[in-house]
């Protein structure tokens, strides 16, 4: 696996393939795109050289292989690799533990020492579950905390991520970086409440936003609800979150979630808010640190199972949880857990699967990256591997169902593939991708991968639709093997060859 990106050179790739050799059946697979796909590419002003695709039967024939060995940016389809590896390596029942520890004596409800929050990397430590953890600690007899709040996130050794670095949107929750103690995605729920009588907009945040000052410069206006402030402007120098612009009164109450910039300030404000709500008091300050050897356990909470976490990641394309999960692959290596350890764990897993995918570039495992790369053939082979693996049902069921749920709830609704496909989509500037399983009758399943890397990718949804429609028609046609090339020595079997 490479750690740096280089421009793909198709001619060089072809030369390498000729030198090292490839199985004859694979090398002569169909490369001509279906006519409907070619038309959609032309309509979108996208050259065929910017499009990679692979369609094959699970365990059997390759129907289409176009630029299938070309390293391409997969956007959120990269989550398939991360979640597949995690299910295989960690197991569907794996979970993360968050702990509360304490130092110093406890008498008559007063802790004359520090309270420690020790994170284990839980990708979904919501405010509600964090409240349950503190409630359990409170039930152990701790009421007043005289010492500090020590935040131990040493399980992950990663630098804090600049939330505005990727796309200049520092208040978007999807830009939160990985953190061993990532509570509530470090975000606040901001509710905009119009007051018709005073013609003003009230702003309410939950939880409290710590030292960040909310600046309300919204103007209430009449008219249709066709525009309103989507995000605030963060001014770190002044420590403020400013909302400005016109807010139509006709919009009614609206909600946005806002990523807050300072992890230490956020945890301290949330802890104090919840702890005091439980009848406790806290007079110290928050600081980062490690758990001392003499710290005694007070309470702990387990995360949801990995199978449930993977479902959340793929159904809703949750970038923050995917980053947490990818970093958790490093738990299998020697401590400390770093991104390099996670990449090494993924590389070793790919080799174990017999997939020598030297073209893969992984930055954070979520697909929210300009650097990540994978070839369509590698994705197809990984999907095929998953289909026949014990964890296959877990991975397949975690993908959105076309026209039914997740990110595909509205897409493909009313089409021939609605309810018949488990697919993960990806979208970035210059990238459109889709990959997964298309199900037919008599147990037939096609693996479909489609990736576009081009400035016109945003307008190319029709290309993906055309490919899936073509693949769907293939499933309803004859199952004869004449004229079809195979990726295995058993081209017409419905079970994986030995």
């Amino acid at each position: 696996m490479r750690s740096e990106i280089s421009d793909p050179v198709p001619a060089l790739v072809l030369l390498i393939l000729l030198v090292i050799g490839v199985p004859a059946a694979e090398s002569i697979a169909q490369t001509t795109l279906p006519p409907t796909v070619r038309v959609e590419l032309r309509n979108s002003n996208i050259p065929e050289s910017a499009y990679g695709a692979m369609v094959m039967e699970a365990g059997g024939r390759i129907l289409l292989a176009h630029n299938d060995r070309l390293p391409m940016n997969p956007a959120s389809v990269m989550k398939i690799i991360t979640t597949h590896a995690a299910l295989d390596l960690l197991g569907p029942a794996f979970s993360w533990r968050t702990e509360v520890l304490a130092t110093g004596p406890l008498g008559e409800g007063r802790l004359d020492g520090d309270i420690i929050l020790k994170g284990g990397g839980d990708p979904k430590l919501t405010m509600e579950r964090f409240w349950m953890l503190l409630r359990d600690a409170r039930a152990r007899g701790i009421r007043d905390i005289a010492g500090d709040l020590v935040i131990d996130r040493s399980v992950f050794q990663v630098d804090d991520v600049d939330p505005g670095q990727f796309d200049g949107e520092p208040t978007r929750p999807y830009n939160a970086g990985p953190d061993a103690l990532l509570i509530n995605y470090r975000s606040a729920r901001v509710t905009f409440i119009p007051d018709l009588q005073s013609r003003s907009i009230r702003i309410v945040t939950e939880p409290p936003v710590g030292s960040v000052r909310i600046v309300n410069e919204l103007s209430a206006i009449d008219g249709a609800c066709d525009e309103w402030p989507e995000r605030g402007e963060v001014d770190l120098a002044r420590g403020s979150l400013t909302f400005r612009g016109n807010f139509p009164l006709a919009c009614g109450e609206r909600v946005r979630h806002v990523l807050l910039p300072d992890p230490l300030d956020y945890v301290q404000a949330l802890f104090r808010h919840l702890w005091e709500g439980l009848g406790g008091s806290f007079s110290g300050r928050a600081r980062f640190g490690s758990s001392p050897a003499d710290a005694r356990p007070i309470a702990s909470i387990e995360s949801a199972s990995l199978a449930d976490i993977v479902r959340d990641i793929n159904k809703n394309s949750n970038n923050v949880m995917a980053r947490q999960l990818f970093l958790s692959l490093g738990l299998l290596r020697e401590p400390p857990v770093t991104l390099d350890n996670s990449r090494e764990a993924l590389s070793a897993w790919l080799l174990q699967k017999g997939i020598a995918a030297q073209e893969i570039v992984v930055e954070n495992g979520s697909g929210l990256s300009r650097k990540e790369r994978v070839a369509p053939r590698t994705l197809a082979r990984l999907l095929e591997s998953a289909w026949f693996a014990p964890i296959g049902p877990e991975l397949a069921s975690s993908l959105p169902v076309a026209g039914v749920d997740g990110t595909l709830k509205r897409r493909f609704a009313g089409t021939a593939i609605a309810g018949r496909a488990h697919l993960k989509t990806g979208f970035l500037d210059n990238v459109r991708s889709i990959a997964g399983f298309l199900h037919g009758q008599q147990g037939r399943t096609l693996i479909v991968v489609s990736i576009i890397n081009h400035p016109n990718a945003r307008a190319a949804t029709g290309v993906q639709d055309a490919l899936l429609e073509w693949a769907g028609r293939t499933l309803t046609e004859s199952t004869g093997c004449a004229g079809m090339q195979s990726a295995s020595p058993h081209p017409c079997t419905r079970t994986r060859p030995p």
Side-chain angles (χ1 to χ4, degrees):
M1 183 185 305
R2 298 182 299 168
S3 60
E4 295 181 352
I5 178 173
S6 59
D7 292 331
V9 183
L12 179 59
V13 172
L14 177 61
L15 177 61
I16 293 173
L17 296 178
L18 291 174
V19 172
I20 65 174
V22 294
E26 295 191 14
S27 64
I28 61 174
Q30 177 180 338
T31 59
T32 302
L33 292 171
T36 53
V37 175
R38 300 180 72 180
V39 168
E40 290 295 338
L41 285 170
R42 286 197 299 269
N43 290 343
S44 303
N45 292 317
I46 295 174
E48 293 185 14
S49 60
Y51 181 56
M54 189 158 180
V55 180
M56 62 181 293
E57 284 198 78
R61 301 168 294 174
I62 296 176
L63 278 66
L64 173 67
H66 176 79
N67 289 332
D68 54 300
R69 300 180 189 274
L70 184 66
M72 306 184 77
N73 187 329
S76 281
V77 168
M78 180 62 77
K79 293 181 177 69
I80 290 176
I81 299 177
T82 297
T83 53
H84 182 190
L87 285 168
D88 216 16
L89 292 172
L90 301 175
F94 179 84
S95 63
W96 294 259
R97 173 178 291 184
T98 306
E99 300 176 275
V100 176
L101 304 99
T103 63
L106 173 64
E108 298 183 353
R110 176 184 171 87
L111 176 65
D112 286 314
D114 298 331
I115 199 82
I116 302 161
L117 299 177
K118 185 175 183 180
D122 188 345
K124 196 180 180 182
L125 184 57
T126 62
M127 185 168 64
E128 292 79 10
R129 296 185 62 253
F130 184 53
W131 175 84
M132 292 175 61
L133 175 63
L134 297 185
R135 182 196 61 181
D136 288 349
R138 179 75 177 84
R140 301 302 196 273
I142 300 176
R143 182 184 66 244
D144 306 317
I145 302 170
D148 290 340
L149 173 66
V150 179
I151 300 170
D152 183 351
R153 51 181 189 165
S154 59
V155 171
F156 291 169
Q157 292 199 8
V158 292
D159 295 330
D160 286 332
V161 173
D162 175 5
Q165 182 179 11
F166 178 72
D167 58 4
E169 299 283 359
T171 63
R172 295 290 196 177
Y174 61 72
N175 276 323
D179 190 328
L181 188 68
L182 184 65
I183 304 174
N184 209 47
Y185 311 115
R186 212 172 79 225
S187 64
R189 185 175 187 266
V190 182
T191 305
F192 302 85
I193 307 173
D195 188 319
L196 297 179
Q197 290 185 342
S198 65
R199 296 185 60 82
S200 63
I201 309 298
R202 187 160 60 98
I203 298 177
V204 176
T205 62
E206 177 66 26
V209 293
S211 62
V212 177
R213 183 170 56 94
I214 299 295
V215 179
N216 184 353
E217 296 181 358
L218 294 173
S219 298
I221 62 172
D222 296 319
C225 183
D226 55 2
E227 66 172 82
W228 66 287
E230 258 188 42
R231 49 193 175 273
E233 298 176 7
V234 175
D235 187 340
L236 297 180
R238 298 181 180 179
S240 64
L241 180 61
T242 302
F243 294 92
R244 60 169 55 96
N246 294 325
F247 191 108
L249 292 168
C251 289
E253 288 193 14
R254 291 300 178 101
V255 173
R256 281 290 182 264
H257 290 85
V258 176
L259 175 64
L260 297 174
D262 188 335
L264 184 65
D265 185 52
Y266 180 85
V267 175
Q268 176 174 246
L270 179 57
F271 175 82
R272 190 183 298 277
H273 172 66
L274 297 179
W275 189 253
E276 291 177 354
L278 289 165
S281 69
F282 168 58
S283 57
R285 64 182 180 88
R287 57 183 172 86
F288 293 126
S290 299
S291 304
D294 61 347
R296 61 186 184 278
I298 301 296
S300 66
I301 191 168
E302 294 287 329
S303 73
S305 70
L306 176 58
D308 290 334
I309 294 293
V310 163
R311 182 180 177 85
D312 279 343
I313 289 173
N314 285 333
K315 289 285 187 186
N316 303 308
S317 202
N318 192 301
N319 294 300
V320 180
M321 293 175 68
R323 284 181 165 189
Q324 292 279 112
L325 181 58
F326 178 71
L327 197 56
S328 294
L329 296 179
L331 295 170
L332 300 169
R333 318 294 286 184
E334 290 294 325
V337 175
T338 66
L339 281 170
D340 284 341
N341 281 347
S342 299
R343 295 181 185 115
E344 290 172 5
L346 182 63
S347 293
W349 174 73
L350 287 168
L351 289 175
Q352 182 183 4
K353 304 295 272 186
I355 299 176
Q358 292 90 346
E359 91 283 356
I360 289 185
V361 180
V362 181
E363 184 178 22
N364 54 48
S366 73
L368 195 68
S369 167
R370 309 292 183 198
K371 298 180 180 179
E372 294 190 327
R373 292 291 186 275
V374 66
R377 176 173 288 261
T378 297
L379 270 173
R381 292 188 64 194
L382 282 169
L383 284 165
E384 182 186 37
S385 172
W387 185 251
F388 293 103
I391 55 88
E394 298 286 359
L395 181 67
S397 65
S398 76
L399 302 178
V401 181
V404 175
D405 66 6
T407 56
L408 291 181
K409 186 173 183 177
R410 293 179 178 83
R411 190 172 172 189
F412 301 115
T415 70
I417 69 167
R420 293 177 50 207
H422 287 88
L423 300 166
K424 181 75 193 74
T425 58
F427 173 65
L428 289 174
D429 289 342
N430 304 337
V431 181
R432 277 279 189 183
S433 59
I434 197 165
F437 307 103
L438 182 59
H439 311 291
Q441 297 178 348
Q442 300 178 341
R444 293 188 71 198
T445 296
L446 292 186
I447 293 167
V448 180
V449 178
S450 169
I451 305 177
I452 301 168
N453 284 184
H454 191 270
N456 293 336
R458 179 184 292 270
T461 302
V463 176
Q464 297 174 343
D465 295 350
L467 182 71
L468 287 164
E469 289 170 6
W470 173 81
R473 287 196 302 272
T474 301
L475 278 173
T476 63
E477 294 171 354
S478 170
T479 59
C481 294
M484 303 299 291
Q485 299 300 331
S486 172
S488 75
H490 304 273
C492 291
T493 58
R494 294 295 172 263
T495 57
R496 188 181 182 91

